[in-house]
Amino acid sequence: MSEAATEPAAVAVRRPRRIENRLLRRFVRNRPAVISTLVLSVIVLLAIFAPVVERYPFDQMQLRERSQPPSAEHWLGTDRIGRDVWSRTVHGARVSLIVGFAATGIAVLIGVVLGSLAGFHGGWVETLIMRFTDVLMTFPPIIIMLTLAAFAPRGLWVIVFIIGGLSWPGVARLVRGQFLTLKEQEFVAAARALGNPGPRVMLVHILPNALPPLMAMISFGIGNAILTEAGLSFLGLGVPPPAPSWGTMLEAARNLDILRNLPWTWLPPAAMTVITVLCVNFIGDGLRDATDARMVL
Amino acid sequence: MLTFTLRRILMSIPVLLAVTVLVFTLVELAPGDVSDFFVNPELSGSPEAVQEMRRNFGLDQPAPVRYGIWLSQVMRGDLGFSFVSGERVMTMVLRRFRNTATLMGVALTFSVIVGVSLGVFVAVRQYSLWDHLLSGLSFLAVSMPAFVTGILALYLFAVVWPIFPSGGIRSVGQAASFVDRLHHLILPSLVLALMQTATFMRYTRFSVLEVLRADYVRTARGKGLSERGVTRKHALPNALIPVITVIGLSLPVLVVGAVFTETIFSWPGMGTLYLSAVSSRDVPLVMGLNLFIAVVVLAANLLTDVAYGFVDPRIRYE
């Protein structure tokens, strides 16, 4: 394992340009991952241009057009209080993607900082950080998130920080592992021998080489964050109304009457959640295969 | 083995302490307490009444003192009383745990049997039509959260084609019967099992494929064993060992899935109890449930490691 993992790092030092090209080439060969990238791009565009593609303001209640099935005016129909489901779905994409990307960004930042510190320094710093990571990993984080979300003030960015702030342990472990392997490499010894100070060795020489395996984890992390946000919103603890979240839209279907008679109000958010997460997971799979050291041999 | 088990139990104590401190701090940092649940500021709620209530619950004490009191209670095996219902937390948790354990037990059994069998089935037929079909479906299943599958299952099998009840643990106004309970149990436990089944299948497939490439499998083939014999006697026992870890580690995932499944199917389990506890700021109940879940998860981890030692004689614990 460790022998295999050293391979791409050594290549990266000799020919800095080549490795990215090779990763890209290998990723492009993975058809599900490429299709997923295209689909996800469409969803991202929908989210960015939500105010343009919406037919009506997402929170506008047209009381005369309550509970309408899909039609030319309302592509996906309207909900019980006359809000346009299409508009709410594309705005929901915004909420989901903001939470997915921002929360994962926070998690990666915390994870990379703590993981690098633990892996580079070792000693009591490592023990302290890794014990804390273990505690967070033994306990299902969503239980703590539920508690936090129920007790904290409500808001989109609160949810982002709750999810991001508790999703880093996996990243920290991975980065630490990478550091432990890379630390023993000749190029690190060389960098030290040239008189580079510790932080520079850590940031400039080790960190860039520790990142490729992280890409797959980032992708899966985004999927998880999207699911967590939808889940929290589904339980009524997520993004507060009137912001339309896919989870909140789905939650309405817990009412048997809505579930039975207005399937067009909850099927689109359900489908969008699954499609988005499916795409992100396929991309993650593609990235993992592309960066998997064993595939180099 | 015994020393290993004892040491692991000792090591889990700091983890449990850390979990309770973490949860207690989170609950403490949040604005508001249980008096917000009982006293409506717009109706009655004179400041004196709120003060009185907080004193009754012991909320006028500083937080570290309250944590100390709670901890010394726990040491004596007492989880205290719920702020809201006044019942013993332990009684409430155990009563709900029975229902959750039924749900999770059925789901876990189903997903282990079906998931592992399917995993082996597709692994020995790598790149066949079955492999592509089932692997594709499993990828879909791991991307479907319990709240999506739950709502879909409810729509398909309780509304469009009503062969199952839409929720609850048994029919109201009927004598409790085993058949009736089973009827209520099937849909939620299958929903809970779906994602795990897919996970176990994917993992088993991977693990079996890995082992089928091993040298000793080639040796077994080389000495003329049938492909069936190779798989049964040589590949499977080795391939299934790492699967045990995945099964053991699936418990936290099941706990989380149970929260959603119970909510959708109005199942009176720990998940729904937890949700009502956090929304009413019932601190003793929240703390008790967290401690309980943490103990169960840690116990499952320990059990996994011990089981590992039993099935794989190469592993030695010192």
Side-chain angles (χ1 to χ4, degrees):
Chain A
M1 179 66 215
S2 68
E3 203 184 337
T6 64
E7 200 63 24
V11 173
V13 175
R14 253 177 284 142
R15 304 191 195 110
R17 291 273 160 95
R18 282 289 297 281
I19 185 110
E20 283 84 8
N21 289 341
R22 210 155 74 181
L23 292 186
L24 189 68
R25 259 210 318 268
R26 229 183 277 147
F27 181 79
V28 170
R29 244 184 279 147
N30 183 329
R31 211 179 305 155
V34 172
I35 297 173
S36 297
T37 311
L38 293 177
V39 175
L40 192 68
S41 313
V42 173
I43 297 174
V44 170
L45 286 177
L46 277 181
I48 293 174
F49 294 106
V52 182
V53 295
E54 69 176 6
R55 309 290 310 282
Y56 305 89
F58 66 84
D59 53 354
Q60 185 186 40
M61 296 179 250
Q62 295 166 289
L63 295 179
R64 286 203 190 155
E65 293 173 31
R66 276 175 303 184
S67 310
Q68 294 288 312
S71 63
E73 291 89 70
H74 297 283
W75 293 346
L76 295 175
T78 59
D79 66 6
R80 248 189 174 179
I81 48 176
R83 292 176 300 190
D84 186 60
V85 175
W86 163 254
S87 309
R88 291 181 69 70
T89 306
V90 290
H91 275 276
R94 273 192 159 188
V95 172
S96 283
L97 292 174
I98 288 175
V99 174
F101 283 98
T104 310
I106 293 172
V108 169
L109 194 70
I110 302 176
V112 167
V113 169
L114 291 182
S116 320
L117 280 177
F120 192 73
H121 275 279
W124 66 270
V125 178
E126 181 177 22
T127 313
L128 188 75
I129 293 176
M130 294 329 284
R131 281 292 152 271
F132 190 55
T133 312
D134 287 343
V135 171
L136 278 185
M137 278 194 116
T138 42
F139 203 63
I142 199 169
I143 298 285
I144 302 176
M145 291 179 197
L146 270 179
T147 316
L148 253 180
F151 285 82
R154 305 200 40 200
L156 175 65
W157 290 98
V158 176
I159 295 297
V160 167
F161 279 102
I162 289 177
I163 297 177
L166 287 168
S167 306
W168 53 265
V171 180
R173 268 201 183 170
L174 184 77
V175 172
R176 169 182 164 265
Q178 285 287 310
F179 262 76
L180 290 184
T181 321
L182 293 169
K183 207 159 65 163
E184 309 300 328
Q185 300 286 306
E186 276 102 12
F187 74 91
V188 175
R192 278 186 197 277
L194 285 172
N196 285 303
R200 192 181 151 81
V201 175
M202 183 167 117
L203 293 174
V204 179
H205 295 270
I206 305 185
L207 193 59
N209 291 301
L211 293 184
L214 199 62
M215 294 201 301
M217 192 174 250
I218 291 176
S219 195
F220 293 126
I222 292 173
N224 259 328
I226 291 176
L227 283 185
T228 309
E229 182 277 318
L232 288 175
S233 295
F234 182 81
L235 296 173
L237 299 169
V239 179
S245 153
W246 292 339
T248 320
M249 293 170 77
L250 257 172
E251 192 264 349
R254 275 167 63 193
N255 176 325
L256 276 182
D257 184 44
I258 293 180
L259 182 71
R260 183 190 309 266
N261 299 319
L262 306 177
W264 58 84
T265 60
W266 55 265
L267 268 176
M272 288 298 280
T273 311
V274 175
I275 292 172
T276 311
V277 174
L278 204 57
C279 286
V280 172
N281 285 351
F282 270 126
I283 295 172
D285 248 25
L287 287 172
R288 188 176 51 198
D289 290 348
T291 54
D292 191 352
R294 274 179 302 184
M295 308 259 304
V296 176
L297 302 171
Chain B
M1 184 71 94
L2 187 68
T3 23
F4 169 79
T5 313
L6 282 177
R7 206 178 52 203
R8 279 288 302 268
I9 291 175
L10 279 180
M11 265 164 55
S12 59
I13 291 173
V15 177
L16 287 178
L17 273 178
V19 169
T20 59
V21 170
L22 192 67
V23 173
F24 192 81
T25 317
L26 294 181
V27 174
E28 259 334 293
L29 287 177
D33 57 45
V34 71
S35 60
D36 300 330
F37 178 73
F38 281 115
V39 184
N40 185 338
E42 282 163 23
L43 292 177
S44 52
S46 66
E48 292 79 31
V50 175
Q51 278 311 314
E52 174 66 24
M53 168 161 289
R54 301 190 76 234
R55 197 158 40 246
N56 281 341
F57 285 130
L59 289 173
D60 51 342
Q61 306 268 4
V65 175
R66 272 182 289 135
Y67 180 76
I69 295 176
W70 181 83
L71 196 63
S72 66
Q73 272 184 340
V74 172
M75 299 290 196
R76 279 176 270 129
D78 180 8
L79 289 177
F81 295 88
S82 156
F83 279 168
V84 175
S85 72
E87 252 187 294
R88 277 194 172 280
V89 168
M90 194 59 132
T91 323
M92 296 173 79
V93 172
L94 286 181
R95 192 193 319 132
R96 294 299 194 98
F97 176 67
R98 274 217 331 248
N99 296 338
T100 300
T102 316
L103 193 63
M104 294 197 345
V106 174
L108 190 62
T109 315
F110 177 89
S111 52
V112 168
I113 294 175
V114 177
V116 171
S117 317
L118 285 180
V120 175
F121 176 79
V122 296
V124 296
R125 293 169 181 71
Q126 194 186 11
Y127 302 135
S128 70
L129 185 66
W130 276 112
D131 183 24
H132 285 298
L133 184 74
L134 285 171
S135 297
L137 280 179
S138 74
F139 209 87
L140 184 67
V142 291
S143 304
M144 282 180 56
F147 51 90
V148 171
T149 39
I151 290 286
L152 275 178
L154 202 59
Y155 183 65
L156 293 177
F157 301 112
V159 172
V160 176
W161 187 30
I163 48 170
F164 289 112
S166 63
I169 195 165
R170 60 191 182 89
S171 306
V172 184
Q174 266 182 36
S177 75
F178 177 72
V179 177
D180 182 49
R181 287 201 164 229
L182 197 65
H183 195 208
H184 281 79
L185 180 63
I186 292 174
L187 207 49
S189 48
L190 285 186
V191 164
L192 187 56
L194 185 70
M195 196 188 262
Q196 290 311 311
T197 311
T199 311
F200 295 159
M201 186 196 122
R202 288 165 63 78
Y203 202 88
T204 309
R205 175 180 180 275
F206 179 79
S207 180
V208 172
L209 284 178
E210 196 86 324
V211 167
L212 283 178
R213 275 196 288 261
D215 288 341
Y216 60 83
V217 169
R218 197 186 308 151
T219 311
R221 282 200 188 117
K223 72 179 186 186
L225 281 185
S226 66
E227 194 55 40
R228 214 182 161 76
V230 172
T231 321
R232 281 233 183 118
K233 287 260 165 62
H234 295 263
L236 279 193
N238 287 299
L240 295 186
I241 290 171
V243 176
I244 291 177
T245 317
V246 185
I247 295 172
L249 293 180
S250 71
L251 203 81
V253 187
L254 275 176
V255 169
V256 174
V259 174
F260 293 104
T261 317
E262 289 175 4
T263 309
I264 294 169
F265 292 96
S266 322
W267 190 264
M270 289 206 302
T272 37
L273 183 67
Y274 195 83
L275 283 178
S276 69
V278 285
S279 62
S280 60
R281 321 238 139 161
D282 194 339
V283 180
L285 192 51
V286 171
M287 295 292 288
L289 275 165
N290 268 301
L291 184 62
F292 192 84
I293 295 172
V295 168
V296 171
V297 169
L298 287 180
N301 288 352
L302 178 61
L303 221 70
T304 312
D305 284 348
V306 173
Y308 220 94
F310 270 111
V311 292
D312 191 347
R314 285 170 300 187
I315 294 175
R316 289 264 166 269
Y317 302 108
E318 68 264 12

